[in-house]
Amino acid sequence: MVQDADGTTENANRGPQPRPAGGSAAGADPGLARIKEAAAGIWDDPWWTIPNLLSVIRLAGVPLFLWLLLGPQSDLLALLVLVVSGVTDWLDGKLARWLNQYSRVGELLDPAADRLYIVATLVAFVLRDVVPWWVAAALIGRDLVLTLCLPVLRWHGYEPPEVHYLGKAATFCLMYAFPLLLLVQGDFTFSGVIRPIAYAFTCWGGALYLWAGVLYLIQVVAAVRAARSAARA
């Protein structure tokens, strides 16, 4: 993908950024206050925007996509759903800029849709013996660990880390790998040519995805240590 789903600016040298100090973060339990403040900000944002509608459509396509893969195993239709998801992912980012309809809700919906498509595809591929179970476990585990890091960052007064260019490259590779892996499941004329390309994208995308996760985790650990050091000072 050209733009990462959460819409943040690519900057490989910046880690989690501290939130501005405010009255809501003060008191006996500032960490909990920060989490409540972030949650309240979501409700204050505009929900009914065209980019958010496209994100909801993408999310609604996830169960359809999974059913097509596991039920009738209609790989071409599943591939069509995946292509439509990619187009709407690109379009909602463009519309958010053109119409000035940025929202925190959209920043949450976009990466949620991307991650759900990745998880749904990996689960279906494991059940159909397309990829080994440990590949899916590693990639899904990476997302689970980083998701659990978000409230930890909020607790210590930091925003989520900005998108690393390796994360962008990894998502790009995986979003090409999955459709290609679907194509080679059938007895097509060019399956023999496409298969090594599909597995190459899968290997590179998976490796970059895990490495980007390690870099994000390092940034989280550094931010938490800095917050604790500042609290002791």
Side-chain angles (χ1 to χ4, degrees), residues 85-106:
S85 169
V87 171
T88 56
D89 182 36
W90 171 83
L91 186 59
D92 66 13
K94 291 291 185 182
L95 289 176
R97 288 192 293 271
W98 291 341
L99 302 176
N100 193 26
Q101 292 185 343
Y102 292 102
S103 69
R104 181 59 180 157
V105 177

Side-chain angles (χ1 to χ4, degrees), residues 27-225:
D29 200 348
L32 184 59
R34 294 187 190 106
I35 294 176
K36 290 181 177 179
E37 179 185 0
I42 295 174
W43 293 106
D44 294 336
D45 270 353
W47 283 63
W48 301 111
T49 65
I50 295 177
N52 288 352
L53 176 61
L54 291 176
S55 296
V56 170
I57 292 174
R58 291 179 62 218
L59 284 169
V62 173
L64 173 62
F65 175 70
L66 189 58
W67 176 78
L68 288 171
L69 288 178
L70 296 179
Q73 296 190 5
S74 301
D75 293 343
L76 290 180
L77 288 178
L79 179 60
L80 178 61
V81 173
L82 198 61
V83 170
V84 171
S85 169
V87 171
T88 56
D89 182 36
W90 171 83
L91 186 59
D92 66 13
K94 291 291 185 182
L95 289 176
R97 288 192 293 271
W98 291 341
L99 302 176
N100 193 26
Q101 292 185 343
Y102 292 102
S103 69
R104 181 59 180 157
V105 177
E107 291 178 357
L108 294 175
L109 289 177
D110 262 358
D114 281 343
R115 299 303 180 259
L116 284 175
Y117 271 105
I118 290 176
V119 170
T121 305
L122 290 171
V123 169
F125 281 179
V126 169
L127 293 177
R128 291 181 52 178
D129 295 323
V130 177
V131 298
W133 68 267
W134 53 267
V135 172
L139 298 181
I140 294 174
R142 177 260 198 200
D143 280 344
L144 287 176
V145 170
L146 295 184
T147 299
L148 293 175
C149 288
L150 295 180
V152 175
L153 286 172
R154 291 287 186 186
W155 185 274
H156 289 88
Y158 285 91
E159 295 285 350
E162 292 193 352
V163 178
H164 198 282
Y165 67 90
L166 281 181
K168 288 173 174 274
T171 304
F172 178 84
C173 287
L174 289 177
M175 287 300 145
Y176 270 90
F178 292 158
L180 292 175
L181 287 173
L182 280 176
L183 282 176
V184 300
Q185 299 311 303
D187 188 18
F188 297 106
T189 305
F190 298 103
S191 293
V193 177
I194 297 175
R195 184 170 288 107
I197 300 174
Y199 284 113
F201 270 111
T202 303
C203 292
W204 278 107
L208 290 175
Y209 202 67
L210 293 176
W211 181 239
V214 171
L215 295 179
Y216 287 135
L217 193 58
I218 290 173
Q219 291 180 348
V220 171
V221 171
V224 171
R225 286 179 175 174

Side-chain angles (χ1 to χ4, degrees), residues 6 8-12 14-17 160-164 216 219:
D6 61 4
T8 52
T9 305
E10 177 184 334
N11 188 333
R14 295 180 64 190
Q17 299 300 302
E162 292 193 352
V163 178
H164 198 282
Y216 287 135
Q219 291 180 348

